[in-house]
């Protein structure tokens, strides 16, 4: 996974930027404050780290890809950026007042090990995860056009039950799981950001910065899927396909956890 993000990291920020609405919600959930220290785990090129730092707090970003960390450093030298893995964080115990992790937990080899490290470096504050669950992804209309890619992507995603169980095993209690629905003006072009803007998937730059397209979609499936999508958009059939994949419980979700008390 480090190799993948070293590869796509060079153009990542061209289409992947912090969405203001997501950043505001993360700030609210992590209880941002100027006198607090925060961790962005698997921060990538630091888009959300930087956005949240502008709202308050002393922020630190950690990522396993040096290509991405180097880009993050160029964005904001006042943030402490460090190369490191989720299961061996380079911080002392009880160092942070809150932590976030956006669209990255599916890349961690062992969730409990990563979550245990987050618990260790947290003092007494929330750990907020932004992710997608398999049952949500099964309702993406992308499954109709890129079935093999989506099946492979869904298989790697931890279920809500597994995320919650792993957090409990690491010593967290769950404060809530809040669904998130993709909007027309979403600025961070992650996997299902084109839910209501399907033409964005014709842009090779957009696709190259989405790990599913970059690593799990064969050239044959890509061309077949794009041709079918184009034909359906021209004929109007796409609306019927999209309606058949209507989500009943959000496209993504925030998971809010706190260290167990007592």
């Amino acid at each position: 996974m480090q190799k993948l993000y070293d590869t796509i990291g060079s153009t990542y920020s061209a289409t992947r930027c912090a969405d203001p609405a997501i950043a505001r919600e993360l700030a609210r959930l992590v209880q941002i404050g100027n006198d607090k220290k925060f961790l962005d785990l698997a921060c990538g090129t630091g888009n959300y780290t930087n956005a949240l730092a502008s709202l308050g707090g002393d922020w630190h970003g950690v990522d396993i890809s040096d290509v991405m960390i180097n880009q993050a450093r160029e964005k904001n030298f006042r943030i402490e950026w460090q190369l490191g893995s989720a299961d061996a964080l380079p911080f002392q115990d009880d160092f942070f007042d809150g932590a976030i992790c956006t669209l990255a937990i599916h890349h961690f080899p062992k969730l409990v090990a990563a979550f245990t490290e987050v618990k260790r470096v947290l003092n007494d504050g929330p750990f907020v995860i932004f992710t997608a669950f398999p049952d949500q992804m099964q309702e993406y209309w992308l499954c109709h056009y890129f079935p093999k890619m989506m099946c492979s992507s869904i298989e790697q995603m931890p279920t809500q039950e597994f995320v919650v169980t792993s957090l409990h095993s690491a010593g967290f209690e769950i404060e809530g799981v809040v669904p998130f629905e993709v909007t027309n003006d979403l600025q961070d072009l992650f996997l299902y950001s084109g839910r209501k803007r399907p033409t964005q998937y014709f842009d090779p730059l957009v696709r190259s910065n989405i790990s599913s397209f970059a690593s799990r979609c064969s050239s044959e499936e890509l061309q077949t899927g794009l041709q079918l999508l184009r034909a359906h958009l021209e004929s109007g059939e796409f609306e019927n396909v999209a309606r058949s994949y209507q989500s009943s419980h959000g496209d993504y979700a925030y998971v809010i956890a706190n260290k167990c008390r007592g």
Side-chain angles (χ1 to χ4, degrees):
M1 194 49 60
Q2 177 182 356
K3 183 177 180 181
L4 169 63
Y5 280 94
D6 282 346
T7 300
I8 71 176
S10 59
T11 62
Y12 199 74
S13 293
T15 61
R16 300 298 299 272
C17 61
D19 180 77
I22 293 176
R24 287 193 298 270
E25 183 64 2
L26 288 171
R28 184 184 72 83
L29 292 173
V30 83
Q31 300 172 18
I32 205 164
N34 288 329
D35 58 343
K36 298 179 180 179
K37 295 190 294 290
F38 298 98
L39 169 67
D40 187 354
L41 179 64
C43 64
T45 60
N47 293 328
Y48 284 99
T49 333
N50 200 31
L52 288 163
S54 70
L55 299 175
D58 177 16
W59 281 84
H60 299 246
V62 173
D63 199 90
I64 198 170
S65 167
D66 56 355
V67 172
M68 290 198 159
I69 281 292
N70 287 337
Q71 289 189 64
R73 288 193 180 104
E74 293 174 0
K75 293 179 181 178
N76 193 334
F77 66 89
R78 291 183 297 274
I79 293 173
E80 185 71 29
W81 307 103
Q82 295 202 42
L83 194 66
S85 63
D87 57 1
L89 295 174
F91 304 103
Q92 65 188 33
D93 295 357
D94 304 322
F95 188 75
F96 294 106
D97 301 295
I100 67 165
C101 183
T102 61
L103 301 174
I105 62 170
H106 54 288
H107 296 313
F108 299 162
K110 296 181 179 179
L111 276 191
V112 174
F115 292 166
T116 299
E117 270 293 270
V118 174
K119 177 179 178 288
R120 179 184 67 79
V121 301
L122 269 182
N123 180 10
D124 184 21
F127 177 31
V128 182
I129 299 167
F130 182 63
T131 189
F133 298 123
D135 57 340
Q136 294 176 317
M137 295 176 68
Q138 288 166 0
E139 296 180 342
Y140 293 4
W141 55 253
L142 288 169
C143 295
H144 186 82
Y145 299 99
F146 310 100
K148 292 181 180 178
M149 177 193 79
M150 288 303 299
C151 182
S152 176
S153 298
I154 290 168
E155 285 178 350
Q156 72 166 338
M157 299 301 293
T159 65
Q160 178 174 334
E161 180 181 6
F162 186 65
V163 173
V164 168
T165 299
S166 298
L167 284 165
H168 283 155
S169 296
F172 285 97
E173 55 187 11
I174 308 303
E175 296 297 322
V177 179
V178 182
F180 170 87
E181 291 191 2
V182 169
T183 63
N184 286 332
D185 56 355
L186 185 69
Q187 294 184 29
D188 189 355
L189 303 187
F190 44 71
L191 177 60
Y192 204 36
S193 58
R195 173 189 172 188
K196 300 182 179 181
R197 298 172 295 181
T199 57
Q200 78 176 34
Y201 295 109
F202 296 125
D203 186 339
L205 184 59
V206 170
R207 297 195 308 270
S208 69
N209 293 324
I210 297 173
S211 62
S212 292
F213 280 102
S215 66
R216 298 177 180 273
C217 190
S218 69
S219 58
E220 180 181 1
E221 182 177 31
L222 177 64
Q223 294 308 314
T224 300
L226 290 178
Q227 288 174 4
L228 183 60
L229 177 58
R230 191 181 301 276
H232 281 181
L233 288 170
E234 291 174 353
S235 68
E237 178 61 20
F238 172 77
E239 295 302 325
N240 294 327
V241 172
R243 276 195 295 271
S244 72
Y245 282 89
Q246 288 293 326
S247 172
S248 58
H249 42 274
D251 304 313
Y252 293 83
Y254 299 96
V255 182
I256 308 98
N258 280 287
K259 292 173 68 170
C260 292
R261 299 172 178 83

